[in-house]
């Protein structure tokens, strides 16, 4: 198999992106070369998502397009991994006859065992991989989820929570830093449950203190927090550690207690509101993002209005909204899908408009301020980076800013992004902006 190429396609959350990075690095370690043209690939890996129907539809489209390739080059190996891979392999083979191997979400070992060997050995340890690229990197630290919210397939596809011990995480972060990564995001579906299954029960705060010591890493983020189990110790660590960014993602999903109960989220909305006040009290200047589902079975207009009212009260920085999409195999699937799609889309638009207004106002308050931005790359000829609070900033300059953390004066804002100019500093003056 000398000179073999692989192509990898990813849809879904940051955990999937991290899995794809690990898969790509393991393939390269095994002697494969990454190609960005599917036509040149000997192995095609589809890393799928099953959290929403729309994500599944994208995979179906991709498989349809690949069917032509497989007809003309039948020896191309097609691998499907990620959350669409459920235990009923016979059904999967019937549904996707062109797919040769089905690999459970995140199982890089099984992926490597299923593709032909190019070189004699390959790494099978979680983090024993040679390369990394880019300024920012994802580091999975808790796999799986124990919560079983009624709408969610994740616990069925990714299994129970398993934490990676602190020394292994630190080793991986050191490896990323040695490749030029300056910001790491620690990942878990319930990141604040980190360490519950480890000896001595270290928590996310302990992990952040350890990662904070890694030289070369300037920023640390973490995703996704489960509301009921967020502790003051974790919040205080965020406030205390200079490298940990003041941004927290805490989904609340619905503003009505009956809907929350039907979702089996395990908290009342009053507790969520109280948590947000606590987060803001402990971490000055924090930005908060959340996830919302509209049109869950039983969400009447009145119950939907409660979600709107909570968002109005809390004025969160970023709101990810999704129309409810029933997922086979979940508890909620048995409740049917009684709210028509048009109504779900209407509720989606109502919240999106509200979010645009609130985010626009929050960002406008930053006009004229100087923000510290880590630059990641270019987009449409401008440099793109993020503030510590995870807001997108564009700067028009000819300088190479990759990996730089620089002060930027904000001169234009919208709900989705901001624009600004580099601020001259003693170390960088004059600046070659155009
Ligand atoms: S906490 Fe709930 S929504 Fe999040 S991954 Fe676990 S089951 Fe899914």
């Amino acid at each position: 198999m000398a000179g073999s190429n692989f192509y990898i396609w990813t849809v879904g959350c940051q955990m999937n992106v991290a899995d794809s990075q690990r898969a790509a690095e393991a393939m390269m370690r095994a002697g494969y070369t990454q190609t960005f043209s599917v036509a040149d690939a000997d192995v095609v890996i589809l890393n799928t998502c099953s959290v929403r129907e729309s994500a599944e539809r994208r995979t179906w489209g991709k498989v349809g397009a690949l069917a032509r390739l497989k007809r003309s080059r039948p020896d191309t190996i097609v691998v499907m991994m990620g959350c669409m891979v459920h235990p009923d392999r016979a059904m999967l083979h019937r549904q996707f006859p062109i797919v040769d191997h089905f690999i459970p979400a995140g199982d890089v070992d099984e992926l490597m065992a299923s593709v032909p060997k190019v070189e004699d050995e390959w790494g099978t340890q979680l983090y024993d991989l040679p390369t990394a690229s880019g300024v920012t990197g994802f580091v999975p630290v808790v796999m799986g989820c124990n919560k079983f919210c009624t709408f969610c397939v994740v616990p069925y596809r990714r299994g129970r929570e398993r934490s990676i011990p602190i020394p292994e995480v630190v080793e991986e972060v050191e490896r990323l830093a040695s490749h030029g990564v300056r910001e790491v995001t620690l990942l878990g579906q319930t990141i604040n449950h980190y360490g519950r299954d480890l000896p001595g029960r270290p928590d996310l705060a302990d992990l952040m203190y350890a990662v904070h010591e890694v030289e070369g890493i300037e920023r640390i983020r973490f995703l996704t927090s489960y509301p009921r189990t967020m502790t003051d110790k974790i919040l205080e660590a965020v406030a205390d550690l200079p490298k940990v960014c003041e941004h927290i993602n805490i989904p609340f999903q619905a503003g009505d207690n009956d809907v929350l109960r039907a979702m089996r989220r395990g908290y009342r909305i009053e507790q969520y509101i109280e948590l947000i006040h606590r987060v803001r009290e402990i971490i000055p200047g924090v930005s908060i993002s959340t996830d919302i589902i509209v049109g869950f079975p039983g969400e009447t207009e009145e119950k939907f209005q409660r979600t709107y009212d909570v968002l109005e009260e809390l004025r969160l920085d970023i709101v990810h909204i999704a129309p409810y999409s029933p997922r086979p195999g979940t508890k909620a699937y048995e409740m049917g899908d009684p709210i028509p799609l048009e109504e779900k889309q209407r509720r989606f638009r109502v919240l999106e408009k509200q979010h645009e207004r609130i985010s626009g106002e929050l960002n406008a308050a930053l006009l004229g301020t100087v923000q510290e931005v880590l630059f990641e790359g270019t987009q449409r000829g401008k440099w793109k980076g993020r503030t510590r609070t995870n807001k997108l900033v564009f700067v028009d300059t000819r300088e190479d800013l990759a990996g730089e953390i620089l002060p930027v004066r904000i001169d234009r804002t919208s709900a989705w992004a901001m624009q600004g100019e580099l601020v001259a500093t003693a170390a960088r003056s004059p600046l070659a902006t155009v």
Side-chain angles (χ1 to χ4, degrees), residues 145-149 151-152 154-155 189-190 226 253 265:
C145 179
N146 291 353
K147 296 312 298 180
F148 289 93
C149 301
F151 55 82
C152 185
V154 167
Q189 312 289 348
T190 48
Y226 184 71
Q253 306 296 7
R265 287 289 291 172

Side-chain angles (χ1 to χ4, degrees), residues 49-169:
C49 171
S50 189
V51 166
R52 291 187 227 307
E53 201 186 334
S54 55
E56 283 199 355
R57 274 204 302 269
R58 290 183 63 190
T59 298
W60 280 97
K62 196 75 183 171
V63 171
L66 277 175
R68 280 189 292 279
L69 177 82
K70 187 84 176 172
R71 268 198 301 276
S72 61
R73 284 183 37 209
D75 52 348
T76 307
I77 296 169
V78 180
V79 181
M80 182 182 284
M81 57 188 279
C83 287
M84 278 178 76
V85 177
H86 52 71
D88 189 344
R89 295 293 195 275
M91 181 194 271
L92 286 170
H93 279 291
R94 276 198 305 279
Q95 287 177 317
F96 302 104
I98 68 152
V99 174
D100 300 285
H101 304 289
F102 295 95
I103 308 293
D107 197 337
V108 175
D109 289 358
E110 197 175 322
L111 167 71
M112 298 315 297
S114 74
V115 296
K117 278 190 178 185
V118 179
E119 290 178 357
D120 280 348
E121 286 189 7
W122 53 63
T124 55
Q125 290 173 34
L126 180 63
Y127 290 144
D128 184 19
L129 305 168
T131 59
S133 57
V135 172
T136 60
F138 293 123
V139 183
V141 301
V142 189
M143 318 305 212
C145 179
N146 291 353
K147 296 312 298 180
F148 289 93
C149 301
T150 56
F151 55 82
C152 185
V153 293
V154 167
Y156 302 99
R157 302 294 155 78
R158 290 188 176 268
R160 296 303 180 99
E161 287 169 5
R162 292 151 348 258
S163 306
I164 310 298
I166 290 179
E168 281 181 45
V169 176

Side-chain angles (χ1 to χ4, degrees), residues 347-361:
R347 293 179 191 181
F348 174 89
R349 286 192 299 272
V350 169
L351 292 194
E352 200 176 48
K353 216 161 154 224
Q354 179 195 36
H355 170 44
E356 189 172 351
R357 171 173 51 80
I358 293 174
S359 275
E361 289 166 3

